[in-house]
Amino acid sequence: MTSIPLPKGVTGISATPKRQEYLVNLFYHSSGYILRAPGKELVATAATTGCRGAATWYVDQNAYFVIGDTLYQLDSSESLTSIGTIEGSADCDFSVGQVNLVIIVKGGKGYFYNADNGLNEITDTDYQPSDSVDFIDGRHLFIPSDGSPAFYSEIDNPDNINPLNFFDAEELPDLNRVTINISNNEYIGGNESFEIYRSSGSEVAPFSRREGARVDTGYVSGIERYKSSFMFIGRDRDQSYAVHLMSQGSTQIISNDAINELLNVEYSASELSAVNSYSYVWKGVQFVGWNLRRHTIEFSDGNWSYRDSNLDGTTLGPWSGKGIAFAHGRYYVGDSVTGNIGKLVDDPGEYGEKVEYELQTFVRGLRQSYFSPSELMLDARTGIDGST
């Protein structure tokens, strides 16, 4: 009997189409099974539409979503409350502080929220429109949209920015693009490199650069925490686009030839710069996903798969999920188009609607050998009522 191995993910390039494999709305689990990706169950619908970002504020354990022009809070009873107005339509980034939750509109205004004072705009005259923000040692650290030097707030006060609270890369002063705090090391990524800063304990200059810790990989988009590090779409100097994992003193390219071809052939530089990302843990496996304009790709346990909310059965489309927040023991997800907020569940479909599950593989055999199948058996435990 000829055995046809099941695919583990997206592999192969267009030059060898008969050797391409992929999974859609499925993933390969280390147990040796192909499992379906989680479905979405509707829990609330906002009055506005189009999720722009989400975060969990661990002070009150609630999930927060910016949908349309409104900040919403989703509490433990899955009740959705409008908090206030977030102007604009661009995606948002969050900084989860101990006193305030900071929300920035990329390229626009900044806001901060706490239960005592509600939602307020950052009005300090030294605030600059920013694209990225994170929290370290009581301060909110911002990366301006024009790539100019980073700046930070005073402790526990995002609306107090000293005109001297600006600093820049010392070794390779490229344009700044993003910041992320990993184990109290603040990474600042630019067009050409990442540099790492630590808290110095000084009131005058609270951040000091780690000497010799520059990583020569430029940032493009889609930064996301992964275990004790982070992933992002980037490129080494004079190289093509790829998905990178930050490691000790360097980055590791984790995207395979199939994903690299997708990024470099199907997408322009401007499209890649607009990619947003998300992360969740399912069946004991961490997933990191990137919403591209026409595709959604996910990485898990060394393998790649597609997510798709498209039901036309002929072409891949992007997943509708955007902005994931873990709160009250569940993962909640916004929607890129509607005002829906769902939770990830171990059921097929999205909001009661069916989605397609698809796999493609090929038969392995000796070169120029042939066989004629008289019978094809598929052992499936989902999708066909448990039949074989």
Side-chain angles (χ1 to χ4, degrees):
M1 178 180 293
T2 299
S3 175
I4 305 175
L6 292 174
K8 292 185 177 181
V10 181
T11 61
I13 59 176
S14 59
T16 56
K18 293 185 178 180
R19 298 181 64 86
Q20 288 180 306
E21 294 183 313
Y22 59 78
L23 297 172
V24 181
N25 293 327
L26 301 164
F27 69 95
Y28 181 82
H29 193 269
S30 58
S31 61
Y33 291 98
I34 290 179
L35 305 179
R36 69 180 174 226
K40 291 188 291 187
E41 179 183 306
L42 184 66
V43 299
T45 301
T48 49
T49 58
C51 183
R52 299 164 58 192
T56 303
W57 193 30
Y58 294 102
V59 171
D60 62 11
Q61 301 296 313
N62 291 320
Y64 289 81
F65 292 84
V66 177
I67 302 176
D69 64 355
T70 304
L71 175 66
Y72 292 93
Q73 178 196 79
L74 189 71
D75 64 19
S76 59
S77 66
E78 297 181 345
S79 175
L80 191 65
T81 302
S82 171
I83 299 298
T85 298
I86 303 291
E87 293 184 13
S89 59
D91 285 350
C92 298
D93 198 18
F94 296 78
S95 176
V96 180
Q98 298 165 333
V99 176
N100 295 283
L101 176 67
V102 169
I103 309 101
I104 62 166
V105 178
K106 294 187 177 183
K109 294 181 177 180
Y111 301 84
F112 61 100
Y113 167 79
N114 61 60
D116 293 332
N117 300 307
L119 180 67
N120 291 278
E121 182 183 342
I122 297 175
T123 57
D124 190 290
T125 55
D126 289 299
Y127 176 78
Q128 297 184 17
S130 298
D131 274 7
S132 182
V133 62
D134 210 341
F135 183 76
I136 179 170
D137 288 344
R139 305 175 190 271
H140 299 275
L141 179 65
F142 302 84
I143 304 297
S145 302
D146 62 5
S148 58
F151 63 95
Y152 54 89
S153 72
E154 295 300 312
I155 292 177
D156 294 333
N157 190 352
D159 201 25
N160 185 356
I161 300 165
N162 191 301
L164 299 179
N165 289 1
F166 287 75
F167 67 99
D168 203 1
E170 301 172 14
E171 197 167 286
L172 184 62
D174 52 345
L175 294 178
N176 296 317
R177 292 301 180 204
V178 72
T179 187
I180 188 169
N181 181 353
I182 302 293
S183 301
N184 225 37
N185 289 306
E186 195 70 30
Y187 290 77
I188 295 180
N191 288 342
E192 301 291 339
S193 67
F194 276 81
E195 294 200 10
I196 307 172
Y197 295 82
R198 283 180 173 169
S199 177
S200 66
S202 168
E203 288 293 324
V204 178
F207 303 110
S208 61
R209 179 181 170 276
R210 284 181 53 188
E211 293 297 328
R214 191 187 83 204
V215 177
D216 288 331
T217 300
Y219 176 77
V220 176
S221 64
I223 197 166
E224 196 68 36
R225 288 177 172 83
Y226 179 75
K227 299 182 179 179
S228 59
S229 187
F230 61 94
M231 295 178 174
F232 61 97
I233 296 176
R235 58 194 296 258
D236 293 328
R237 188 170 299 178
D238 300 324
Q239 300 299 313
S240 57
Y241 298 106
V243 180
H244 293 254
L245 171 66
M246 183 63 70
S247 57
Q248 285 290 91
S250 64
T251 63
Q252 174 189 354
I253 294 178
I254 60 167
S255 48
N256 59 24
D257 290 344
I259 298 301
N260 291 339
E261 181 179 60
L262 177 72
L263 297 177
N264 290 280
V265 175
E266 298 290 332
Y267 286 90
S268 66
S270 61
E271 287 177 322
L272 289 178
S273 67
V275 171
N276 62 79
S277 59
Y278 59 87
S279 175
Y280 63 93
V281 175
W282 197 253
K283 305 291 185 182
V285 179
Q286 183 173 358
F287 291 77
V288 179
W290 290 267
N291 281 322
L292 290 80
R293 184 172 181 179
R294 296 175 294 279
H295 303 80
T296 296
I297 54 176
E298 283 191 347
F299 176 86
S300 62
D301 263 358
N303 299 304
W304 291 89
S305 56
Y306 294 119
R307 292 298 300 273
D308 184 11
S309 296
N310 186 13
L311 295 177
D312 67 8
T314 58
T315 58
L316 280 170
W319 189 46
S320 64
K322 183 177 180 181
I324 292 183
F326 183 77
H328 314 299
R330 308 175 186 88
Y331 284 99
Y332 294 99
V333 56
D335 191 277
S336 60
V337 178
T338 72
N340 290 341
I341 296 177
K343 61 184 174 184
L344 299 186
V345 292
D346 196 14
D347 291 315
E350 297 185 1
Y351 309 136
E353 299 292 331
K354 294 180 179 180
V355 299
E356 294 174 340
Y357 300 89
E358 184 179 353
L359 63 85
Q360 175 176 297
T361 187
F362 59 92
V363 178
R364 279 76 165 171
L366 296 175
R367 187 180 297 273
Q368 295 183 343
S369 63
Y370 302 90
F371 72 97
S372 299
S374 59
E375 186 178 65
L376 181 64
M377 297 178 63
L378 175 65
D379 183 8
R381 291 172 172 81
T382 182
I384 53 175
D385 300 324
S387 303
T388 299

